[in-house]
Amino acid sequence: MILVAMLLRRLHKASEKSISVLARQLNLSGVFPPIVTPFNDQEDLYLEKLRDNVGVWKNKGFKGYTVLGSNGEFKYLSLDEKVKIVETVKEEDPGKIIIVGAGEESTKLTKESVAELAKAGASAALIYSPSFYKGSMTASAYFQHYLQIAEVSPIPVILYNVPANTGIDIPVETVISLAEHDNIIGIKESGGNVVRIGTISHKTKHLDFQIIAGSASFMLPSYSVGAVGTVAALANVMGEDVVALHDAIMAQEDCIQLQHKLIEPNTAVTAQFGIAGLKFVCDNVGLYGGPCRSPIQPLSNEQKEKLSKIMAHVGIQCS
């Protein structure tokens, strides 16, 4: 598989040299919050509130944004809605990198999605691993899926390993093989497996392949074995702290206490209370969270109380 990847890499370089050079120059070292998607009470897009949110986030020190990620409820959005969201973020903060969740369950639909979202202003395409037909999702299936997308994508491709949602880890050897392709520039690792992150970093160190930690809870251990950036839900509401941790790690400063500070609230707005919890906190820190799209339900009063107590420990008052 590696030999095949290397051959395809040479072919890609010969035919798309200028695109691949630009792809490898996209620096993912920094914080990219996976921004929430605002809806009104009818669950329609609320683009005015998205503009307001970006107006707040643009001053937090982020390297860019992850738009249409897992926390952006991308699976509940039409392609037309996705295009409007990307266009809005691009208009409001044109200088930032915009990583866009462009994955679909089929290779064909993913290619179409990437093409449209690139036109809308995406800087890179974040592609999750298809998982509905788990029995057919072999290493070869994943290799061909990502390879075909990378060959036609007008923007760099970032692999997205999110086993909590898909139930599958993209095989490490497949990731290493795909890293040889010039238009596949990195991977977002959301599983928190530091051994896996370190192995990928070690095996791709001869390439400009970048690893992004998919949570604020394991930034420090991920960076210690080779990660360079972070996509963390917590950055929506504690952006300064997540950026401060990134900066401290990169400067090789003592940051264990700051890492410890972020673990509990990060877990609260992800695994414990989910997107509804994240949006609830957004509503309490000067952002617009608003409702989720059904079937995701709002928090109960009991859940709000529990989440508020957790956030109070880090100085955020929720009501």
Side-chain angles (χ1 to χ4, degrees):
M1 188 180 285
I2 293 175
L3 291 175
V4 172
M6 292 178 69
L7 175 59
L8 289 168
R9 181 183 178 217
R10 293 191 191 103
L11 292 173
H12 184 76
K13 287 179 73 174
S15 61
E16 302 287 348
K17 186 174 180 181
S18 61
I19 292 177
S20 12
V21 168
L22 290 173
R24 289 298 189 184
Q25 289 177 347
L26 192 65
N27 186 347
L28 302 179
S29 179
V31 176
F32 301 84
I35 64 174
V36 295
T37 298
F39 301 114
N40 61 22
D41 290 339
Q42 289 72 48
E43 298 186 11
D44 295 321
L45 284 184
Y46 206 163
L47 295 178
E48 294 85 354
K49 294 299 185 182
L50 177 58
R51 292 183 190 278
D52 292 343
N53 284 353
V54 175
V56 174
W57 289 322
K58 69 196 302 183
N59 299 312
K60 300 294 184 182
F62 299 138
K63 185 68 169 285
Y65 307 99
T66 299
V67 183
L68 310 176
S70 299
N71 290 283
E73 299 173 73
F74 77 102
K75 294 298 287 183
Y76 297 165
L77 297 165
S78 69
L79 182 55
D80 181 62
E81 288 176 318
K82 292 176 181 179
V83 166
K84 289 177 181 177
I85 292 167
V86 174
E87 289 176 340
T88 299
V89 175
K90 185 70 173 179
E91 289 169 4
E92 290 303 307
D93 200 357
K96 296 282 199 326
I97 294 172
I98 302 179
I99 300 171
V100 175
E104 300 288 350
E105 282 294 308
S106 78
T107 307
K108 183 177 186 299
L109 286 178
T110 302
K111 288 192 233 180
E112 293 171 1
S113 176
V114 170
E116 291 302 312
L117 295 171
K119 285 190 246 180
S123 309
L126 182 66
I127 310 296
Y128 79 94
S129 52
S131 59
F132 189 81
Y133 298 105
K134 287 183 174 60
S136 299
M137 293 301 101
T138 62
S140 176
Y142 280 140
F143 181 78
Q144 291 299 325
H145 176 69
Y146 284 110
L147 183 66
Q148 289 180 42
I149 294 164
E151 285 292 300
V152 300
S153 175
I155 53 178
V157 171
I158 302 171
L159 313 179
Y160 184 13
N161 190 54
V162 55
N165 289 37
T166 64
I168 304 174
D169 273 310
I170 306 172
V172 169
E173 287 303 320
T174 302
V175 174
I176 294 167
S177 296
L178 289 168
E180 295 280 351
H181 196 289
D182 282 318
N183 208 29
I184 299 176
I185 65 168
I187 185 169
K188 179 193 171 194
E189 277 290 343
S190 294
N193 185 332
V194 177
V195 173
R196 175 186 167 90
I197 293 170
T199 301
I200 293 171
S201 176
H202 175 65
K203 296 290 187 178
T204 62
K205 63 184 179 181
H206 61 293
L207 304 167
D208 294 321
F209 190 73
Q210 302 170 83
I211 301 172
I212 304 172
S215 170
S217 294
F218 49 79
M219 284 175 65
L220 181 55
S222 296
Y223 281 48
S224 71
V225 294
V228 299
T230 300
V231 173
L234 189 65
N236 280 273
V237 295
M238 293 181 66
E240 293 96 338
D241 289 287
V242 178
V243 169
L245 179 55
H246 168 84
D247 291 345
I249 297 171
M250 299 306 287
Q252 298 184 2
E253 297 172 355
D254 183 6
C255 52
I256 293 177
Q257 286 188 337
L258 181 53
Q259 173 65 91
H260 286 171
K261 174 185 176 181
L262 300 185
I263 293 173
E264 187 177 25
N266 185 83
T267 301
V269 299
T270 54
Q272 189 171 1
F273 296 104
I275 300 170
L278 177 59
K279 285 190 164 184
F280 171 71
V281 179
C282 284
D283 284 328
N284 283 275
V285 295
L287 297 163
Y288 179 85
C292 297
R293 265 196 176 159
S294 299
I296 298 177
Q297 296 296 294
L299 298 185
S300 66
N301 289 333
E302 181 181 359
Q303 288 174 317
K304 288 180 181 179
E305 184 178 348
K306 288 180 179 178
L307 178 52
S308 296
K309 288 180 180 178
I310 293 171
M311 299 312 296
H313 293 157
V314 291
I316 295 177
Q317 302 302 318
C318 299
S319 60

